[in-house]
Amino acid sequence: MSGIELRYARVRTPNTETVVRDLRSGDFRACDDIVQSLPYFFGSDVGVVACARAVRTQRGWVAEECGQVNAFLVVDYPLPSAPEITWMAVRAGFRRRGLGRALIDRVVRELRAAGALVLSVLTLAASVPETGSDTYAGTRAFYLSNGFLAVREIHPPGWDSQALLLARPLVRN
């Protein structure tokens, strides 16, 4: 692990303490398990494989409670000043406890310090019909409540539906 600095941040979530830290190779299986716990959001074999590849090749962070990884986030760098969240997930049963917010807060701090200007993410667009109680409406609301702005709907290569592009400015006034 020469040349890699491990950094930790502790945040309080209901009834426990969460550690947000850099993703390590020992976390890969836990991230895969989180994806398996969310079949609606990761129901496509193509998506599961792409997520597993990203977890293993992109920069990432995890949220850990009592030694268990319960959330992760990975970013790609299409441009050095404009990283993109490629995958983020919180284990079923651990959602709505502040783990996602803790990950976003940590990532924003680190990317700002590294000189990034904007952080983007794609998620399913509201124009795509969905059924059930757990839909991407919650995902869109999560990003909006964490400082992201809806930019536009697009049809990205490799997607079979419309996506919403969201961006969060990282520069401070």
Side-chain angles (χ1 to χ4, degrees), residues 28-113:
F28 296 162
R29 185 69 200 139
C31 294
D32 295 344
D33 290 345
I34 292 168
V35 167
Q36 293 301 318
S37 79
L38 302 166
Y40 175 73
F41 297 99
F42 293 92
S44 157
D45 289 340
V46 172
V48 170
V49 169
C51 181
R53 183 175 35 253
V55 163
R56 287 155 176 83
T57 60
Q58 296 176 356
R59 182 161 186 216
W61 296 263
V62 297
E64 183 180 80
E65 295 176 318
C66 302
Q68 176 178 307
V69 172
N70 290 320
F72 69 90
L73 182 155
V74 292
V75 299
D76 191 18
Y77 293 84
L79 298 170
S81 64
E84 174 188 7
I85 296 172
T86 52
W87 298 94
M88 180 177 179
V90 177
R91 186 183 304 276
F94 289 83
R95 295 167 66 206
R96 295 175 185 79
R97 293 175 39 167
L99 300 176
R101 181 175 299 275
L103 281 167
I104 294 287
D105 289 348
R106 169 69 180 273
V107 168
V108 164
R109 276 194 315 276
E110 289 199 27
L111 294 176
R112 271 187 184 139

Side-chain angles (χ1 to χ4, degrees), residues 9-21:
R10 296 187 186 281
V11 295
R12 297 287 301 161
T13 57
N15 304 319
T16 190
E17 183 176 59
T18 299
V19 175
V20 177
R21 62 172 175 75

